[in-house]
Amino acid sequence: MRLLIPRVSTALGWCSLAALVVLALFGLWGAPPDRVQGDAQRLMYLHVPVAWVAYLAFGVTALGSALWLWPRTRAVVWDRVAGASAELGVIFTALTLVDGSLWGRPVWGVWWAWDARLVTTAVLFFLYLGYLALRRIPSSPEARAKRCAIAALVAFVDVPIVHFSVTWWRTLHQQGTVFNEELNAHIHGVMAFTLWFGVFAFTLLYVYLLDRRYRLLALDETREEREVERAIAERVSVPAARPDSGVEVGVPR
């Protein structure tokens, strides 16, 4: 019921923690302030990595959903991976919106602007909230997995829209700094190292959290199956009284 063996998962957790500590040191003190945005630019070392992880998480959800729908690769593991990754994607999308607002206040002068990138990101957040709600609707495991897989693939259409929104429309949001068409980061030196290291650190964190959340999902499903089996066994083990038996069931004597 794990994606990773325990030793690998533990090592990955410690590596993620160490990488985040190093990122904090470089982000707060090691990297110099931007000459235009000043210290507000330091939020980029958090904003870009969490946005990248949101893309990654929803991509994994879409991949797991597609593998479940494909008959040759259909397995419960892919439905669990899709669900666990979607939960992480929603969390990291929320973080993207929050720290984006924190950055927008000193730079744009407002907490929120009806910008194409912001609006499409908010739509993405609510689409996958709906996906998670869909997973909680009572149904058979196969029916639930099928409808959720289709919903995940439909919702994923918004991911490239979010990414290319700054290119397709005129927006307040700056053009792609790191994940542009040329994959050529427009920053250099310690600032570039800190940014790329942040992407690496949060990717490690995502993989670790995915393994943990997958295990919890598997345990929850196993518990639900046991409860259903126990309820069925209790019903089968209690014989129903015949109408002509003359025995009143459940009445104390």
Side-chain angles (χ1 to χ4, degrees):
M1 294 189 298
R2 285 177 174 268
L3 290 176
L4 304 174
I5 60 177
R7 290 184 179 180
V8 173
S9 178
T10 302
L12 186 61
W14 285 111
C15 289
S16 302
L17 179 60
L20 291 174
V21 171
V22 173
L23 174 63
L25 294 175
F26 272 90
L28 294 174
W29 295 287
D34 185 75
R35 64 180 181 179
V36 176
Q37 300 179 16
D39 286 328
Q41 180 267 347
R42 297 184 187 278
L43 282 169
M44 179 180 64
Y45 304 130
L46 175 64
H47 183 68
V48 172
V50 297
W52 150 250
V53 171
Y55 287 168
L56 174 63
F58 294 143
V60 171
T61 297
L63 177 61
S65 300
L67 290 174
W68 190 93
L69 289 173
W70 187 256
R72 294 184 178 180
T73 57
R74 181 170 298 167
V76 66
V77 61
W78 298 123
D79 178 58
R80 291 173 181 168
V81 166
S85 188
E87 291 184 9
L88 297 177
V90 167
I91 293 173
F92 281 99
T93 303
L95 289 175
T96 302
L97 292 169
V98 170
D99 60 40
S101 296
L102 294 174
W103 174 85
R105 182 66 179 88
V107 176
W108 293 344
V110 293
W111 294 104
W112 176 267
W114 293 100
D115 176 83
R117 170 64 64 84
L118 272 66
V119 172
T120 53
T121 302
V123 170
L124 185 68
F125 174 75
F126 286 109
L127 282 173
Y128 278 94
L129 271 185
Y131 167 83
L132 295 180
L134 194 63
R135 293 188 65 88
R136 294 185 175 276
I137 297 178
S139 181
S140 66
E142 185 170 351
R144 183 196 64 185
K146 182 177 181 180
R147 70 183 178 222
C148 289
I150 296 173
L153 293 177
V154 172
F156 186 74
V157 173
D158 192 40
V159 172
I161 296 176
V162 172
H163 182 70
F164 292 108
S165 59
V166 294
T167 303
W168 294 343
W169 299 290
R170 295 182 60 182
T171 68
L172 291 172
H173 201 284
Q174 67 189 55
Q175 296 291 318
T177 303
V178 178
F179 300 109
N180 49 41
E181 295 180 357
E182 296 82 14
L183 290 179
N184 180 24
H186 297 162
I187 57 175
H188 306 281
V190 179
M191 297 173 71
F193 169 79
T194 305
L195 187 60
W196 285 112
F197 188 81
V199 172
F200 169 74
F202 274 90
T203 302
L204 286 181
L205 178 63
Y206 162 76
V207 176
Y208 172 73
L209 293 177
L210 179 65
D211 173 67
R212 304 296 293 183
R213 190 65 190 106
Y214 176 89
R215 186 187 180 201
L216 289 176
L217 278 179
L219 290 174
D220 286 343
E221 292 180 4
T222 302
R223 177 181 56 81
E224 292 175 359
E225 291 175 359
R226 289 177 179 175
E227 289 178 353
V228 171
E229 291 176 356
R230 187 183 302 114
I232 294 174
E234 291 176 353
R235 284 178 174 270
V236 172
S237 62
V238 178
R242 293 180 299 175
D244 57 347
S245 63
V247 179
E248 295 180 12
V249 180
V251 179
R253 295 182 180 276

